[in-house]
Amino acid sequence: MQRPKWFVIAKNEYRIMTSWIRRGRLAFPFVVLGVIITIIMIVAPAIVGLIEDDLIAFMLSNIAVAMMQSILFMFFFYFLMFPISSALRDIDTSQTELLLSSPIKPSDILFGKFMGVLPFYALVMAGIVGFFTALLDPLGMDLLQKVIIISIFILTLSSAAWIGIVLASLVRSRLGRSNKGKDFAKAFSLIIALPFIAIMYSIIGGRLQAALEDPTYGELIKNILDILPSSWGGKIIVDFATHPGNMGPVLNDTLLRLSGLTMFFIFALYFGKLAADRAYSMETTTFTSAWVKKDRFIYRVVRSLGGGGSFGIVLASIFKDYGRRFQNISKIIYIVVIIALIMVLIMDDKDMMGPTILSQFIFPMYAGFVVSEINLRGKEALFIFRKAPGGVDRLIKARLVHGWLLVLPVSIGIISFVYSTVPGAELFDILKYTAMIATICTAYVPFILGINLMNPQYTEKESMFNVMVLPMMGLVVVIGSLVALGDEWAPAGWIGLNWGMGLLLLYLGREKLKRME
Amino acid sequence: MEVMIKIEKLSKYYGKGGSIKAVDNLSLEVYKGETFGFLGPNGAGKTTTVRMLNCIIKSTNGSASVYGFDINKDSENVKKVTGLLAESPGLYDKLSAYEFLEFIGALYDVPDDMLKVRSENLLNLFGLKARSDHLLEGYSRGMKQKVLLAAALIHDPPILFLDEPTSTLDPKASHMVKDLVKDLADKAEKTIFLCSHILPVVEELCDRIGIISDGRLIAVGTIDDIIKRSGKSTLEEAYIALTGGVDERELLSWREQGDAKA
């Protein structure tokens, strides 16, 4: 008997996802089931038990519906965004030819991919559902109400995952056929996460709660949330919380909203299948290749900064290769927006110390994004420098200058602005603290360059480890200096440790690059 | 002779108003049991032709039938009767060679019991049996090429499209693939549409060849015919003459310094 084609694709997708545990593939579903049961039966009730009273009070408050809708929207957005962001980050259409030359319909490919990854989404869904049922259990809900709540989560999150997979395939197909498109996709993969982060920060910082309680903005936000399909279930959950074990008063409203959610899922499936033909195509979108004009002002300046000779050309070439990629520009935008969101939505500092400490977690990440780019062109690109006379030192010198020129203006600009918003800040203090952060940020560049040379990673995904090392180290440096030296002398520790470790790592990285095979 | 691939005025245009003619008015017939070589410079339209014949992209004008099935109307059946080794196909790096063949076989509805035996036989034939359980991400380019060739054969199609089948293989594997292609054509009566830049391979394997340049078929016939018609003595000379000749620039002119001082 022939297997349905979507099943073949789903099985393949599952195999790809579980390739890291090939020997334990058979046991994997049982392990997952065990994890889900443990979460629902033990972990979730234990955690919820710690904050039960506050949670019940919240569920009965007048902002509960809007808050629940916001949380559901956040999960919905996350499930929608995750496949898109993954597809954009690692855009690859090379398998499309293989699939299109086989006798299989594009809709079967799409549905198979969805079914293949659904078990992994189910794991996350189970965790979310587990916490919510544990949270609502003490209110005395009956079995039917619990089943409906579970169905709400499954319908809402499955719709989001399906829409995300369809959009990811469409975007991949559209952008993956040109180099410019691939570059744009990588750039967009970061930016797309920003709305999710904004909602998360506003919940963490209590701004969303404050906005909902505000008589002017609260109603507006609630009206907007009411329109979104992700919100339809939120109202039902809060209705059940206020009428536990008693469906009667909320039956009609529940049926209406649940039917709406089910219809939304069915429509999403139907239109997604219709869109499948567009999601898998190898028709060329463009025959025009990107071209460049003669060096403009900025590259001429960079070249002059490098002394104008052959080093100037090396430096300008590195800048050109960096600046002509949208993804690099998007990283700068991403980090600037993240900092702005933290400042606006989370931080509420009254002195200079708060931004000073926070900046030592954020700017290292920015420096990491900029400098880790060194390995992303592959080992062969590093060997170009190894082959050239004195090439290793020229590469390091050029990368240091490149890093400083990109890291310092952004970090100095942001931090001086943040300091200037601190109530009562004086000009001398602003300058003093800005100079200190600039000195620390200058050390980040050799620091992160050394890490990347010592541990070269040639793909975007793998290089994230190198990007995250410095913020982790920053945590140790900041806390260690505060504990060992006290508030007054901690800045000296931050500067000394960052520069000391930076120069040491750079030296070790240089030696590693010289010996690399 | 039974016609297996019949192409009539097939065209593929891109750009505004079809200004870029990737394939232009191509007409051609390929017969049963024949190994047909399709030659042309880079960007001449070979891959576009192969993709249209495999229903991966749609033609702008013209028609073609593969094994009697119309590429514009009966793509499902066309795909069932063809095997394709593409120029730069994507592998599933996180699958083993055996799993990959199993996956492709399932896409082509090869029955389970036959799929198992055939996958093992093909892996054996290509010398991959010992590493059939290893993930493809650890394979060399040549080994990946062998897996892809095995995948193109897994459903034992009557027509095979092979785009540069030996380009990444070592001499031993290349020899084996050439023998395989010969056997597939001579003993199993498969029709093989072979794209290659390696002229000795084409000379050794192909009964007839077609040369495409700038999207247009500029010569078709046996190798001897084409050499004779071009007035040259080898296929290489004939190919270069037909596709535009050699740039006659002074080969060492790049060393001149002009007004610059060393």
Side-chain angles (χ1 to χ4, degrees):
Chain A
M1 197 184 81
Q2 284 184 4
R3 277 160 293 197
K5 290 289 168 65
W6 66 261
F7 179 77
V8 175
I9 298 287
K11 184 180 168 189
N12 190 51
E13 209 60 31
Y14 179 78
R15 277 182 161 173
I16 291 166
M17 302 277 286
T18 53
S19 66
W20 55 284
I21 41 143
R22 284 197 301 154
R23 307 270 172 233
R25 254 184 205 144
L26 278 177
F28 185 67
F30 299 103
V31 174
V32 169
L33 197 66
V35 172
I36 290 173
I37 291 169
T38 313
I39 291 172
I40 294 174
M41 306 294 286
I42 302 166
V43 180
I47 295 174
V48 167
L50 298 172
I51 46 170
E52 195 178 303
D53 294 340
D54 291 338
L55 286 172
I56 292 172
F58 162 73
M59 289 304 289
L60 301 174
S61 72
N62 64 341
I63 60 157
V65 175
M67 204 64 178
M68 186 60 74
Q69 287 174 335
S70 305
I71 292 168
L72 269 170
F73 175 70
M74 198 176 74
F75 287 135
F76 183 88
F77 190 76
Y78 176 77
F79 271 68
L80 182 95
M81 187 203 69
F82 183 74
I84 300 174
S85 185
S86 308
L88 290 175
R89 197 166 48 243
D90 201 8
I91 208 156
D92 181 11
T93 53
S94 56
Q95 287 144 2
T96 308
E97 188 166 18
L98 198 75
L99 294 172
L100 285 182
S101 65
S102 313
I104 179 168
K105 290 181 196 140
S107 56
D108 282 338
I109 302 175
L110 206 56
F111 190 61
K113 280 186 180 288
F114 173 65
M115 293 303 284
V117 296
L118 203 56
F120 300 92
Y121 285 108
L123 188 60
V124 185
M125 278 185 218
I128 297 168
V129 173
F131 276 100
F132 272 89
T133 43
L135 163 67
L136 300 167
D137 200 44
L139 296 171
M141 286 192 193
D142 60 28
L143 185 65
L144 181 61
Q145 287 181 324
K146 283 182 191 169
V147 170
I148 291 175
I149 289 173
I150 292 169
S151 309
I152 286 167
F153 277 98
I154 291 173
L155 283 171
T156 306
L157 300 181
S158 300
S159 306
W162 167 250
I163 295 168
I165 284 171
V166 173
L167 290 177
S169 302
L170 285 168
V171 171
R172 186 196 284 124
S173 166
R174 188 70 205 163
L175 296 179
R177 282 177 270 161
S178 71
N179 290 327
K180 203 173 175 182
K182 283 179 188 168
D183 185 23
F184 181 76
K186 281 189 177 173
F188 196 54
S189 72
L190 267 181
I191 305 288
I192 196 176
L194 287 173
F196 173 75
I197 294 170
I199 298 171
M200 202 169 70
Y201 284 0
S202 58
I203 292 175
I204 294 169
R207 307 279 170 165
L208 184 64
Q209 192 174 343
L212 289 171
E213 282 166 350
D214 184 285
T216 320
Y217 299 114
E219 276 309 306
L220 181 68
I221 296 170
K222 284 172 193 168
N223 289 338
I224 293 170
L225 282 171
D226 251 348
I227 302 166
L228 303 170
S230 59
S231 303
W232 301 340
K235 176 78 167 59
I236 298 175
I237 294 171
V238 177
D239 278 349
F240 287 176
T242 48
H243 299 86
N246 180 16
M247 287 281 286
V250 292
L251 185 64
N252 288 342
D253 203 33
T254 301
L255 283 176
L256 186 71
R257 284 170 187 272
L258 196 60
S259 313
L261 204 54
T262 311
M263 290 304 289
F264 177 72
F265 181 58
I266 292 167
F267 277 125
L269 276 179
Y270 177 71
F271 286 110
K273 285 190 95 174
L274 284 186
D277 280 335
R278 290 173 181 273
Y280 293 94
S281 164
M282 289 202 66
E283 298 287 354
T284 308
T285 48
T286 177
F287 269 91
T288 51
S289 56
W291 58 281
V292 293
K293 289 180 182 166
K294 211 176 165 191
D295 282 3
R296 288 195 172 172
F297 174 72
I298 196 149
Y299 292 129
R300 291 206 301 271
V301 170
V302 170
R303 199 166 158 168
S304 308
L305 285 170
S310 53
F311 180 69
I313 295 173
V314 172
L315 185 63
S317 304
I318 286 174
F319 259 89
K320 285 175 188 172
D321 189 55
Y322 185 89
R324 286 174 187 160
R325 294 174 196 274
F326 289 136
Q327 49 173 313
N328 292 330
I329 310 301
S330 86
K331 284 173 186 170
I332 297 175
I333 296 169
Y334 176 79
I335 205 78
V336 171
V337 174
I338 287 281
I339 294 166
L341 289 174
I342 290 173
M343 300 299 173
V344 174
L345 299 174
I346 297 182
M347 265 189 44
D348 196 16
D349 272 300
K350 301 281 184 285
D351 61 18
M352 309 290 247
M353 205 46 135
T356 304
I357 291 174
L358 193 66
S359 67
Q360 292 184 72
F361 303 117
I362 297 169
F363 292 145
M365 201 152 72
Y366 172 53
F369 274 137
V370 171
V371 179
S372 296
E373 203 256 355
I374 183 172
N375 292 321
L376 296 184
R377 309 282 86 79
K379 191 187 267 188
E380 297 305 319
L382 292 178
F383 280 177
I384 291 173
F385 288 92
R386 273 273 297 272
K387 165 72 181 67
V392 168
D393 287 334
R394 273 198 228 186
L395 170 68
I396 290 174
K397 223 166 83 180
R399 281 286 170 178
L400 283 173
V401 178
H402 168 259
W404 285 327
L405 287 176
L406 288 171
V407 171
L408 291 179
V410 172
S411 48
I412 290 173
I414 289 172
I415 201 69
S416 55
F417 171 75
V418 172
Y419 284 144
S420 68
T421 61
V422 172
E426 291 184 9
L427 183 62
F428 176 74
D429 285 335
I430 294 171
L431 291 175
K432 187 177 77 180
Y433 276 91
T434 303
M436 180 184 71
I437 292 297
T439 313
I440 295 171
C441 286
T442 310
Y444 289 156
V445 176
F447 197 125
I448 195 79
L449 188 57
I451 289 169
N452 276 283
L453 292 176
M454 283 179 68
N455 178 36
Q457 300 295 335
Y458 303 108
T459 66
E460 195 93 24
K461 214 180 272 179
E462 286 162 346
S463 76
M464 277 314 285
F465 174 78
N466 288 346
V467 172
M468 294 315 293
V469 167
L470 192 52
M472 303 281 187
M473 296 290 278
L475 188 74
V476 178
V477 168
V478 168
I479 296 171
S481 299
L482 280 169
V483 171
L485 304 171
D487 279 12
E488 199 179 341
W489 288 99
W494 299 335
I495 294 171
L497 282 171
N498 277 308
W499 267 105
M501 286 195 292
L503 292 175
L504 176 68
L505 285 168
L506 184 62
Y507 172 76
L508 294 173
R510 176 175 171 266
E511 293 308 303
K512 172 83 188 279
L513 180 57
K514 283 181 172 174
R515 291 195 312 272
M516 188 191 285
E517 288 181 4
Chain B
M1 278 188 291
E2 191 181 342
V3 178
M4 300 295 274
I5 303 171
K6 188 177 174 66
I7 307 171
E8 284 177 295
K9 296 180 178 174
L10 195 68
S11 302
K12 180 69 183 177
Y13 302 150
Y14 292 105
K16 278 183 188 166
S19 57
I20 298 161
K21 294 181 162 106
V23 174
D24 191 20
N25 237 5
L26 178 73
S27 295
L28 189 68
E29 285 183 351
V30 181
Y31 307 109
K32 186 174 184 180
E34 182 180 38
T35 302
F36 184 84
F38 202 46
L39 283 68
N42 294 326
K46 298 189 296 292
T47 301
T48 306
T49 304
V50 168
R51 284 180 176 172
M52 283 193 285
L53 293 176
N54 280 276
C55 307
I56 293 171
I57 57 174
K58 288 188 170 70
S59 60
T60 311
N61 291 315
S63 64
S65 66
V66 176
Y67 204 68
F69 299 117
D70 189 326
I71 62 163
N72 295 319
K73 294 174 187 160
D74 206 353
S75 62
E76 279 285 295
N77 281 322
V78 170
K79 289 173 181 182
K80 280 180 188 166
V81 296
T82 57
L84 169 67
L85 171 70
E87 189 187 16
S88 50
L91 271 169
Y92 286 84
D93 278 349
K94 296 290 181 188
L95 294 182
S96 69
Y98 181 81
E99 287 171 346
F100 182 71
L101 292 184
E102 201 183 24
F103 168 56
I104 299 296
L107 284 181
Y108 284 89
D109 298 316
V110 179
D112 280 358
D113 46 350
M114 191 191 285
L115 180 58
K116 193 170 185 297
V117 175
R118 197 174 279 165
S119 299
E120 280 170 6
N121 288 345
L122 282 166
L123 290 167
N124 224 2
L125 175 70
F126 286 103
L128 297 168
K129 191 75 191 283
R131 294 191 65 180
S132 64
D133 200 25
H134 291 215
L135 290 187
L136 292 172
E137 65 186 8
Y139 277 38
S140 67
R141 276 181 70 189
M143 289 163 79
K144 285 180 180 174
Q145 181 81 341
K146 288 179 190 176
V147 175
L148 286 161
L149 196 48
L153 296 169
I154 193 82
H155 58 300
D156 196 19
I159 300 169
L160 278 162
F161 290 87
L162 305 177
D163 205 345
E164 297 289 359
T166 60
S167 62
T168 57
L169 300 179
D170 60 52
K172 189 181 164 194
S174 176
H175 188 265
M176 189 274 283
V177 169
K178 282 189 282 182
D179 283 348
L180 174 68
V181 171
K182 279 181 203 164
D183 278 0
L184 284 167
D186 298 341
K187 295 178 186 165
E189 284 206 303
K190 304 285 181 196
T191 302
I192 295 162
F193 194 96
L194 186 138
C195 301
S196 181
H197 283 300
I198 307 170
L199 297 182
V201 171
V202 173
E203 282 181 298
E204 189 180 339
L205 295 178
C206 298
D207 304 306
R208 286 190 310 139
I209 60 168
I211 299 178
I212 186 171
S213 183
D214 291 329
R216 297 185 75 89
L217 190 69
I218 53 172
V220 64
T222 64
I223 293 169
D224 288 343
D225 274 352
I226 286 176
I227 294 171
K228 209 183 212 174
R229 268 188 274 151
S230 66
K232 302 289 178 182
S233 54
T234 64
L235 179 60
E236 186 179 24
E237 287 173 359
Y239 173 83
I240 291 168
L242 285 165
T243 54
V246 184
D247 195 337
E248 294 295 334
R249 283 180 310 169
E250 172 59 58
L251 293 174
L252 291 179
S253 61
W254 58 273
R255 299 184 74 232
E256 288 165 12
Q257 292 183 37
D259 294 335
K261 287 175 184 166

